[in-house]
Amino acid sequence: MNKLGIGRRDKVQQFMTITGASEKVALQALKASDWNLEGAFDIFYSQSQVKSSADTRRLEELYNRYKDPYSDMILADGISLLCNDIQVDPQDIVMLVLSWHMKAATMCEFSKQEFIGGLQSLGIDSLEKLREKLPFMRSEMRDEHKFREIYNFAFSWAKEKGQKSLALDTAIGMWQLLFAEKQWPLVDHWCQFLQARHNKAISRDTWAQLLEFARSVDPALSNYDAEGAWPYLIDEFVEYLTENGIVQKGQMSDWSQKC
């Protein structure tokens, strides 16, 4: 490793720290991904031997530790115990990422298939391995493609069973959690606007379009196209920003950047 430059040596060290892999495995994965750290993680965790290394018996034992005594599901109390065991807050975004890996249908619930299948796909069969994998799962939020998948997953995951729309308070909580990771400067203004002007459940289309707006429109609205095909709610939000002096002539007000 001494022949490598400082930047590549740092990547090897990061990879080894997060995955627990040997230097040889770290070098192989990083070289295969052209020294892209996120790509190297994907290569490492997608290897079939990693997935097959998860011991089904140990996963059954883990599942039984958290399963609700009156149903064949892991419910809120079990998830709270799991969070305590891996030393994360139940509101930590890593729990959303974990639920995404498990393909969980509903917030605060894991079926046996979701729980065991999700951990198997991550090569996890113990609490120690799950704790070790947390940094990797956090890193997935920095991958644009995975962030989009997790963002879209969050809508169905967070809405009430049988409902087509997402309750406003729940949507606001999810947006604040998700966009804290992507640091969208307008997220608090968007949430305030909804509470003041909309106060209704959020449709899937609005949920999806807001991500496009946040990713494609400059926070100062310098490239906002009033003739674009944005949902009416986003057009109203732009009017709200300008009417309240939050955005003026292609610039955000100093106070709004600090909110």
Side-chain angles (χ1 to χ4, degrees), residues 6-253:
I6 294 174
R8 290 187 173 183
R9 284 205 302 271
D10 286 346
K11 287 184 177 182
V12 171
Q13 196 59 52
Q14 287 181 58
F15 187 94
M16 292 169 62
T17 299
I18 291 173
T19 64
S22 66
E23 181 181 318
K24 179 181 178 181
V25 171
L27 285 167
Q28 289 175 340
L30 284 161
K31 287 177 181 177
S33 67
D34 197 24
W35 292 93
N36 178 278
L37 195 57
E38 306 300 333
F41 287 140
D42 287 342
I43 290 170
F44 178 77
Y45 288 118
S46 67
Q47 295 300 313
S48 59
Q49 60 265 33
V50 175
K51 294 182 180 181
S52 64
S53 68
D55 187 311
T56 303
R57 179 183 57 80
R58 296 179 70 182
L59 285 170
E60 290 268 1
E61 290 174 356
L62 271 182
Y63 172 75
N64 288 331
R65 171 172 171 75
Y66 304 115
K67 184 178 79 71
D68 183 77
Y70 303 107
S71 68
D72 196 21
M73 296 280 288
I74 295 174
L75 302 178
D77 288 345
I79 292 174
S80 179
L81 178 58
L82 172 63
C83 290
N84 185 64
D85 285 347
I86 60 176
Q87 301 174 342
V88 301
D89 189 289
Q91 303 300 317
D92 192 314
I93 198 165
V94 78
M95 293 305 295
L96 168 59
V97 181
L98 179 60
S99 298
W100 171 66
H101 277 288
M102 291 183 178
K103 299 180 173 64
T106 305
M107 185 190 296
C108 296
E109 289 185 11
F110 293 137
S111 69
K112 184 175 184 178
Q113 181 179 353
E114 289 168 350
F115 183 81
I116 292 180
L119 293 185
Q120 278 182 325
S121 73
L122 286 163
I124 292 170
D125 58 14
S126 69
L127 288 173
E128 182 182 6
K129 287 183 180 180
L130 179 53
R131 282 192 291 265
E132 290 174 351
K133 203 64 62 81
L134 295 177
F136 165 72
M137 287 191 280
R138 293 187 197 282
S139 76
E140 292 185 287
M141 294 297 293
R142 298 193 293 271
D143 180 293
E144 288 296 327
H145 176 71
K146 288 183 179 179
F147 180 84
R148 180 187 289 273
E149 286 193 6
I150 293 166
Y151 178 92
N152 289 331
F153 162 83
F155 181 89
S156 296
W157 177 74
K159 68 181 178 64
E160 293 288 335
K161 291 180 180 179
Q163 297 297 311
K164 293 183 178 180
S165 299
L166 186 59
L168 180 60
D169 288 346
T170 304
I172 285 174
M174 294 304 300
W175 274 318
Q176 290 173 331
L177 184 68
L178 286 156
F179 284 121
E181 296 293 317
K182 304 307 284 186
Q183 298 180 333
W184 182 44
L186 296 175
V187 63
D188 287 337
H189 296 302
W190 167 251
C191 295
Q192 291 161 9
F193 157 75
L194 290 175
Q195 290 171 319
R197 300 279 187 91
H198 186 61
N199 202 29
K200 295 178 182 177
I202 299 299
S203 70
R204 184 181 294 275
D205 181 59
T206 297
W207 180 266
Q209 287 295 320
L210 185 73
L211 179 60
E212 296 306 316
F213 179 82
R215 295 178 73 173
S216 62
V217 176
D218 182 88
L221 306 181
S222 59
N223 62 338
Y224 171 73
D225 180 7
E227 302 300 319
W230 297 111
Y232 80 93
L233 197 58
I234 290 179
D235 288 331
E236 287 187 2
F237 174 55
V238 171
E239 291 179 11
Y240 169 86
L241 292 174
T242 54
E243 287 172 1
N244 288 276
I246 298 166
V247 175
Q248 293 179 326
K249 297 180 180 179
Q251 294 184 339
M252 289 186 68
S253 303

